């Protein structure tokens, strides 16, 4: 049986070193061995978040961590702003509405980023905003929001907390939580963190902890104060995903071996390689270069092709697995993931197989043009 070449926005491929680490003999989450593992791995995570604050580990998917960030800081009836630029920004809207928050939705056209000017204008007539929620990297559209600039607007124009979904980019894009003024930053295991699903990471500022202490929304499993109290003991309040934390230690080994700055640069390089390849093949891109995600590229359906047939053919014939579009973009775009355990050689492989599929569908293009364009970007960056 062939293994698919997974080029999704998550889950993403898992390095062999990480798989082997997760095969470690299990031990109790109340043991001294676990305490040492927990404290060491959470300490090593801090540079990825750009923070001196503790990193809390939740045995959950990223969505549960987003819910925890919301319900621990805001109470029913309080005003919040949710910046949404795609399907996953709408997740925050759904969470906030479910708990009875008064939601002011700043909806940006899919494929566009939220600019600081748009946020300034949106906030002007609003008073007593408790929190502003934003998605750093939107995987449904392949855009990355200018989070540093948006954080500055929130800081200078309101007293609100700034809560950021970094699920699909922490580990593959710059994150400076403390310097930028982010109050809660969340990510998940199955994206740039190169792990299976089932673990999420939350970091909380001192301002946010004060809000949490005064918050009225009840919570039990997702109670961040409980996670903080247990973290002081080097543990979690409930049984954690122990094997994933073994794997996390191996992930951090890999990132530290490469160097975090080099990891970020690699993701930016792969983004540029994919975009250059598509342009050389005459295939459109949903987003502008300015706000293009370093971890995923959203690509318009090649002209004259049935997207479902093309993606199915790539998977069945060449074992290349891309993600389709979401929401109203379904059937109009596909998504090329290049995050985590992905390297320039993987981009060249995927583009080559894309070209083979295009030839099978009699799509008109210069054979090898996409590969050459991606390779030229790689070679030019390598010489610097």
């Amino acid at each position: 049986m062939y293994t698919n070449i997974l080029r999704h926005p998550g889950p993403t491929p898992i390095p062999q070193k990480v798989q082997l680490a997760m095969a470690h003999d299990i031990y109790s989450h109340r043991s001294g061995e676990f305490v040492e593992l927990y404290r060491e791995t959470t300490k090593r995570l801090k540079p990825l978040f750009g923070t001196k604050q503790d990193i809390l580990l939740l045995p959950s998917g990223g969505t549960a961590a987003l819910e925890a960030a919301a319900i621990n800081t805001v109470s029913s009836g309080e005003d919040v702003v949710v910046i949404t630029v795609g399907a996953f920004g709408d997740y925050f809207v759904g969470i906030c509405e479910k708990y009875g928050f008064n939601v002011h939705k700043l909806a940006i056209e899919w494929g566009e980023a939220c600019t600081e000017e748009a946020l300034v204008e949106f906030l002007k007539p609003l008073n007593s905003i408790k929190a502003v929620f934003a998605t750093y990297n939107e995987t449904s559209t392949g855009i990355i929001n200018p989070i540093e600039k948006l954080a500055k607007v929130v800081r200078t124009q309101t007293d609100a907390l700034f809560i950021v979904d970094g699920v699909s980019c922490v580990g593959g894009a710059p994150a400076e939580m403390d310097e930028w003024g982010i109050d809660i930053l969340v990510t998940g295991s199955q994206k740039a963190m190169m792990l299976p699903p089932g673990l999420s990471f939350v970091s909380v500022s001192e301002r946010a902890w004060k809000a949490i202490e005064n918050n009225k929304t009840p919570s039990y499993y997702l109670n961040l104060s409980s996670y903080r109290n247990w973290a002081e003991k080097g543990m979690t309040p409930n049984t954690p995903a122990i094997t994933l934390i073994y794997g996390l230690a191996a992930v951090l080994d890999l990132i530290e071996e490469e160097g975090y700055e080099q990891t970020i640069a690699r993701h930016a390089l792969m983004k540029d390689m994919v975009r250059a390849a598509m342009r050389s093949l005459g295939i459109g891109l949903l987003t502008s270069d300015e706000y293009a995600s370093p971890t995923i590229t959203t690509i318009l359906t090649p002209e004259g092709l049935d997207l479902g047939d093309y993606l199915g053919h790539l998977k069945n014939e060449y074992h290349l697995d891309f993600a389709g579009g979401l929401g109203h973009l379904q059937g109009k775009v596909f998504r090329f993931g290049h995050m985590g355990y992905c390297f320039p050689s993987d981009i060249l492989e995927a583009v080559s197989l894309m070209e083979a599929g295009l030839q099978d569908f009699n799509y008109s293009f210069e054979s090898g043009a996409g590969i050459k364009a991606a390779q030229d970007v790689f070679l030019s960056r390598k010489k610097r």
Side-chain angles (χ1 to χ4, degrees):
M1 181 178 177
Y2 290 102
T3 300
N4 282 333
I5 302 164
L6 191 63
R7 294 271 66 90
H8 271 234
T12 62
I14 301 168
Q16 186 178 43
K17 178 174 181 173
V18 176
Q19 295 184 45
L20 292 173
M22 291 188 295
H24 192 289
D25 289 341
I26 204 78
Y27 47 62
S28 169
H29 60 293
R30 299 294 184 235
S31 66
E33 292 90 346
F34 180 79
V35 169
E36 182 179 356
L37 174 68
Y38 182 95
R39 286 179 170 159
E40 183 64 20
T41 51
T42 54
K43 179 181 177 181
R44 294 168 68 194
L45 274 170
K46 292 183 180 183
L48 278 64
F49 282 69
T51 187
K52 294 180 181 178
Q53 301 297 327
D54 291 335
I55 310 296
L56 305 177
L57 304 186
L58 278 61
S60 70
T63 304
L66 301 180
E67 183 167 336
I71 66 175
N72 280 267
T73 54
V74 183
S75 299
S76 178
E78 291 185 316
D79 289 277
V80 299
V81 169
V82 180
I83 302 166
T84 174
V85 295
F88 293 95
D90 288 342
Y91 272 33
F92 259 145
V93 174
I95 290 167
C96 292
E97 290 180 341
K98 189 74 172 179
Y99 285 94
F101 306 165
N102 186 20
V103 178
H104 303 271
K105 179 178 175 180
L106 172 51
I108 307 295
E109 183 179 351
W110 286 32
E112 301 290 336
C114 179
T115 64
E116 55 189 321
E117 293 82 8
L119 183 56
V120 165
E121 289 302 313
F122 191 81
L123 290 173
K124 278 182 180 178
L126 302 178
N127 296 306
S128 302
I129 298 297
K130 185 66 176 290
V132 176
F133 297 87
T135 308
Y136 189 178
N137 189 82
E138 176 56 68
T139 53
S140 67
T141 61
I143 74 98
I144 191 159
N145 273 315
I147 287 295
E148 180 180 4
K149 294 178 180 178
L150 300 182
K152 185 177 180 181
V153 171
V154 175
R155 273 284 188 268
T156 57
Q157 199 163 326
T158 76
D159 293 322
L161 299 175
F162 190 45
I163 298 174
V164 175
D165 166 5
V167 170
S168 62
C169 65
V170 171
E176 297 293 342
M177 176 178 165
D178 294 350
E179 181 182 332
W180 295 349
I182 296 171
D183 289 296
I184 299 183
L185 180 59
V186 170
T187 195
S189 57
Q190 77 276 21
K191 306 283 187 175
M193 296 304 296
M194 301 183 279
L195 287 163
L199 192 64
S200 59
F201 314 87
V202 182
S203 189
V204 181
S205 73
E206 293 300 327
R207 289 178 74 243
W209 279 123
K210 290 178 182 177
I212 289 169
E213 289 161 5
N214 295 317
N215 183 51
K216 301 287 193 295
T217 304
S219 60
Y220 181 77
Y221 192 74
L222 297 179
N223 188 290
L224 293 181
S225 293
S226 178
Y227 279 92
R228 178 174 62 168
N229 294 338
W230 278 92
E232 292 174 358
K233 307 174 189 178
M235 302 179 190
T236 56
N238 305 293
T239 306
I242 299 171
T243 53
L244 295 186
I245 301 174
Y246 294 150
L248 174 61
V251 166
L252 293 168
D253 287 343
L254 293 172
I255 292 174
E256 289 165 5
E257 287 166 11
E258 182 178 24
Y260 187 48
E261 289 185 3
Q262 286 71 32
T263 300
I264 300 301
R266 170 167 55 85
H267 282 82
L269 169 61
M270 294 188 294
K271 169 198 72 175
D272 291 343
M273 290 174 67
V274 172
R275 295 177 74 81
M278 295 306 105
R279 287 183 171 124
S280 292
L281 294 172
I283 299 174
L285 300 164
L286 182 65
T287 66
S288 68
D289 288 345
E290 183 179 6
Y291 297 115
S293 165
T295 59
I296 181 170
T297 300
T298 301
I299 301 166
L300 302 180
T301 301
E303 188 175 350
L305 266 64
D306 180 285
L307 185 59
D309 289 346
Y310 177 61
L311 295 183
H313 181 73
L314 289 178
K315 185 174 181 179
N316 294 328
E317 186 69 21
Y318 300 109
H319 312 289
L320 177 61
D321 192 1
F322 288 125
L326 297 176
H328 68 271
L329 293 179
Q330 190 170 4
K332 300 177 182 178
V333 302
F334 65 99
R335 296 175 294 149
F336 187 139
H338 38 82
M339 68 179 81
Y341 192 52
C342 183
F343 298 88
S345 57
D346 297 307
I347 303 303
L348 294 173
E349 175 189 50
V351 172
S352 174
L353 295 175
M354 275 188 67
E355 288 199 10
L358 291 172
Q359 288 181 335
D360 293 341
F361 278 77
N362 298 313
Y363 179 81
S364 179
F365 70 102
E366 181 183 347
S367 181
I371 301 167
K372 183 180 185 303
Q375 188 177 63
D376 286 347
V377 171
F378 171 64
L379 293 175
S380 65
R381 201 70 56 87
K382 188 178 178 182
K383 292 175 183 176
R384 293 180 186 177

